[in-house]
Amino acid sequence: MKHVVDKMLDKHHKLVHSEGVKILSHTQREIDEWVQHTVTIEGCDAPFKFRRTKKYRSLQGHKVNMTYYPETETVAGFDFEVMKVVRIKRF
């Protein structure tokens, strides 16, 4: 039986899955009705972003499994690499 993540990876070719990555920082800020979560992981400079309807307890220092898409975000005329998280679970 295929795992949920395996099915997602087969269907979406640009999707990336990482297991057991350590969260270095986790920030949460409210934007309208949503809470924007931004995490950074060990060994990667790009921020990982996702939105949820409520705040979560901090993921800082924990290991997680993440499924995400690489994206480019333009801020003040500069392009930055950002990862859009589709699925995140504690390891």
Side-chain angles (χ1 to χ4, degrees), residues 43-91:
C44 183
D45 293 332
F48 291 75
K49 294 183 175 185
F50 58 99
R51 286 184 172 186
R52 297 292 183 257
T53 55
K54 60 182 180 179
K55 286 190 173 186
Y56 288 160
R57 60 184 164 168
S58 180
L59 295 172
Q60 187 170 345
H62 292 279
K63 289 189 176 189
V64 295
N65 294 343
M66 284 195 301
T67 308
Y68 55 91
Y69 286 105
E71 286 189 343
T72 303
E73 191 174 277
T74 303
V75 178
F78 295 99
D79 291 334
F80 293 98
E81 184 179 29
V82 178
M83 305 300 170
K84 180 181 176 186
V85 177
V86 176
R87 185 172 189 258
I88 187 167
K89 290 202 169 223
R90 286 185 189 251
F91 186 67

Side-chain angles (χ1 to χ4, degrees), residues 2-83:
K2 277 196 165 184
H3 218 253
V4 175
V5 174
D6 293 330
K7 290 179 185 178
M8 291 171 62
L9 292 172
D10 288 343
K11 188 174 181 179
H12 305 281
H13 298 290
K14 291 185 180 180
L15 201 58
V16 179
H17 180 72
S18 298
E19 291 192 10
V21 294
K22 186 176 180 180
I23 302 291
L24 296 178
S25 70
H26 179 203
T27 59
Q28 304 176 56
R29 61 187 167 109
E30 293 183 22
I31 300 176
D32 299 323
E33 301 160 3
W34 294 91
V35 177
Q36 173 77 44
H37 297 263
T38 305
V39 297
T40 56
I41 64 169
E42 196 171 58
C44 183
D45 293 332
F48 291 75
K49 294 183 175 185
F50 58 99
R51 286 184 172 186
R52 297 292 183 257
T53 55
K54 60 182 180 179
K55 286 190 173 186
Y56 288 160
R57 60 184 164 168
S58 180
L59 295 172
Q60 187 170 345
H62 292 279
K63 289 189 176 189
V64 295
N65 294 343
M66 284 195 301
T67 308
Y68 55 91
Y69 286 105
E71 286 189 343
T72 303
E73 191 174 277
T74 303
V75 178
F78 295 99
D79 291 334
F80 293 98
E81 184 179 29
V82 178
M83 305 300 170

